[in-house]
Amino acid sequence: MKLVEYWVVIIVIVAISALILVSYTTESPPIDGILSLGRMHFIDEPYLGGESRLALSIFPEQTIENASTYFLLPTSIILVEGDLEKYHGDILKDKTIEHVIKIKIVKEGNWSMEALVKGRFKEHEFSRTYRLFLLVSDEEIKGIFEKYISGGI
């Protein structure tokens, strides 16, 4: 690698590091009074080659009808246990549900995992996407941060 390429890699790593949250979990802001709180988080500390439990927790302020949750994993992270899709039926107002899977990180790199919540509120279909970003290197996780993307109503 040329010296310029090393500097580019270092700058990218520093930029990514600036976005990393110290905690493994974050809570997301309100989305039209339906899913005011939700998070995708690790229950166990993740590491390269090891198994960890990954959870999507949602606690709606309004009853969600016909709700389902989904995980989307990159090829570098494999499902060890659990289902990537789960149907919950109606999730009652102020009741917490959790969808948990066990995964294994099998390759170094920058990876993004997604979790989706889909359902109905009154007569409207909606979805919400959560993303968890990982920077995996040298048998440790250098950074984890979460972002949510509203699918809207």
Side-chain angles (χ1 to χ4, degrees):
M1 251 186 179
K2 296 178 186 175
L3 183 60
V4 173
E5 292 172 337
Y6 281 117
W7 279 108
V8 170
V9 169
I10 290 170
I11 291 169
V12 169
I13 289 171
V14 169
I16 290 172
S17 297
L19 297 173
I20 295 170
L21 299 177
V22 176
S23 170
Y24 285 117
T25 64
T26 58
E27 294 183 2
S28 52
I31 174 178
D32 301 322
I34 299 172
L35 287 175
S36 65
L37 297 174
R39 63 184 184 162
M40 184 167 71
H41 60 99
F42 281 101
I43 296 171
D44 311 307
E45 187 171 340
Y47 59 95
L48 182 62
E51 295 179 2
S52 304
R53 289 176 293 161
L54 178 64
L56 172 63
S57 303
I58 59 171
F59 1 95
E61 287 187 350
Q62 304 295 329
T63 296
I64 301 172
E65 302 167 354
N66 202 28
S68 296
T69 52
Y70 307 85
F71 282 101
L72 304 169
L73 303 175
T75 57
S76 59
I77 300 175
I78 59 172
L79 179 67
V80 174
E81 186 178 294
D83 297 314
L84 293 176
E85 298 180 16
K86 188 171 184 181
Y87 177 73
H88 300 281
D90 294 348
I91 303 172
L92 301 178
K93 174 182 174 180
D94 298 325
K95 182 177 189 296
T96 300
I97 65 108
E98 197 166 62
H99 181 175
V100 179
I101 59 173
K102 188 180 281 188
I103 62 164
K104 183 174 184 177
I105 302 169
V106 296
K107 189 175 178 184
E108 293 182 3
N110 297 322
W111 310 117
S112 170
M113 297 174 290
E114 290 187 1
L116 263 63
V117 179
K118 292 184 179 182
R120 289 181 62 79
F121 174 66
K122 297 186 179 179
E123 295 183 17
H124 303 283
E125 299 282 332
F126 76 93
S127 67
R128 185 163 197 183
T129 303
Y130 297 85
R131 282 198 181 126
L132 196 61
F133 299 92
L134 303 174
L135 175 57
V136 180
S137 178
D138 300 323
E139 297 187 9
E140 65 181 350
I141 306 300
K142 300 270 187 192
I144 299 176
F145 61 101
E146 180 186 7
K147 177 181 179 182
Y148 83 95
I149 301 168
S150 173
I153 292 183

